[in-house]
Amino acid sequence: MKFAVRQDFTFPSDVVAEVFTDPALYPWFAKLPKVTVPEVLARDVEGDRVRLRIRYRFGGNLSSAARAVIDPAKLTWVDESVHDLGDHTVSFVLHPDHYGDRFHCRGRYEFVDTPTGCTRRADIDLKVSFLIVGRAVEGAIASGLREHLDDEVGIVEAYLRARAG
């Protein structure tokens, strides 16, 4: 399943693109409803490129159909991303700690300036392989990713305002 997501920020693209490379941002994500506090595992900087590895743990509720094939305690994954601060782009791959043969997700974000700030455009490719419920699980994960990305906006904006002082 391929899908696109878009969010608007009130800060310019260079500021928003950079803040996603700041490890101090991620504890603020504790306010997100469906994940626990992300754990920044690694941050490597080479010029304008920042590589991040962040572990996430699902903290929401699953439908009974999803729970029939997925153990919620095993819904952890590492988000490996490359942030190109010169181009204001991010490429990412999600690596599940469990169910790796049944879940594949990768994508790309682009931050584009607008008259009132910037827009993050995300193109995501998601594949879930479970007999019978695969499509339903795929749809639920896509919906959850959309919600997660939408919810990040307010947190990022609050963090940037607090950081500015």
Side-chain angles (χ1 to χ4, degrees), residues 5-157:
V5 183
R6 172 192 157 133
Q7 295 87 26
D8 294 314
F9 294 84
T10 61
F11 289 86
S13 62
D14 59 336
V15 172
V16 177
E18 180 275 327
V19 79
F20 278 98
T21 69
D22 181 355
L25 168 67
Y26 292 93
W28 285 59
F29 284 12
K31 298 172 186 171
L32 291 170
K34 294 185 180 176
V35 295
T36 61
V37 178
E39 176 187 359
V40 178
L41 303 173
R43 181 179 188 269
D44 301 306
V45 179
E46 292 179 26
D48 280 349
R49 289 188 187 267
V50 180
R51 294 179 188 277
L52 285 176
R53 292 184 70 242
I54 301 172
R55 172 162 283 115
Y56 287 86
R57 178 176 307 278
F58 182 73
N61 295 314
L62 291 178
S63 69
S64 59
R67 282 192 316 273
V69 294
I70 297 172
D71 178 356
K74 292 183 176 180
L75 287 181
T76 61
W77 63 96
V78 174
D79 180 344
E80 288 191 12
S81 56
V82 177
H83 302 250
D84 187 325
L85 297 177
D87 288 343
H88 305 143
T89 60
V90 180
S91 60
F92 70 91
V93 178
L94 302 184
H95 298 283
D97 294 321
H98 307 278
Y99 310 112
D101 59 333
R102 297 172 184 227
F103 175 85
H104 304 280
C105 185
R106 63 179 55 245
R108 182 177 188 279
Y109 304 138
E110 176 181 31
F111 298 94
V112 179
D113 283 317
T114 66
T116 59
C118 76
T119 296
R120 173 173 62 179
R121 293 187 284 208
D123 293 307
I124 300 170
D125 188 5
L126 169 68
K127 178 68 178 156
V128 175
S129 303
F130 279 100
L131 284 177
I132 302 171
V133 297
R135 280 292 209 201
V137 172
E138 205 170 78
I141 291 172
S143 174
L145 280 170
R146 283 186 183 102
E147 288 175 26
H148 176 87
L149 294 174
D150 287 345
D151 290 343
E152 283 182 351
V153 174
I155 292 168
V156 167
E157 297 259 331

